[in-house]
Amino acid sequence: MSLNYYGILIFMLLLIPRLILVFFPPIRRVHHMAHKQLKVLETIGEVGCSFFGLITIFDIGYKPINFPVEVVWIVLATILFIIHYAFYFRYAIKGRKEEYLYDKVLVYSPIHLSKVLIYLISGILLFNPFIIVFSIMYGIPTLIINYKRNFE
């Protein structure tokens, strides 16, 4: 069992905005009633992505990243992180209104979609079946919850 440096980088970059939300929460927080089962599945998926992204277990199913795949991953991850952080900056600059975290801009909840895609692409390019499964387990309920949030 060993640490995965790519996983540490992804985990830290996705954790920073969440920590900022702890200290600077939305001014008018609207409590949405989401299905408990979806929230539980979403949480299990996110924790699984983080865990298997940070730790390489048994070295089964993992292949070393070669140069072209690494470049593709870096480019895609950079684009998705720019999108992810852009929505957090928009939230901070426009008065910390909750709707700026979840509203539709081309797609529903791009801040969450970018996070799901970061996990999924990382799992695919790292040949990590655990991250792929947990990213799907995280992504489907996340997108359903945020889609419903836009129509309530």
Side-chain angles (χ1 to χ4, degrees), residues 48-83:
C49 286
S50 298
F51 177 76
F52 286 108
L54 288 173
I55 298 176
T56 303
I57 299 178
F58 307 127
D59 292 330
I60 297 173
Y62 298 90
K63 298 178 183 174
I65 294 181
N66 58 22
F67 179 73
V69 173
E70 189 173 292
V71 171
V72 168
W73 178 81
I74 289 170
V75 169
L76 289 174
T78 301
I79 291 168
L80 290 169
F81 274 115
I82 289 170
I83 292 168

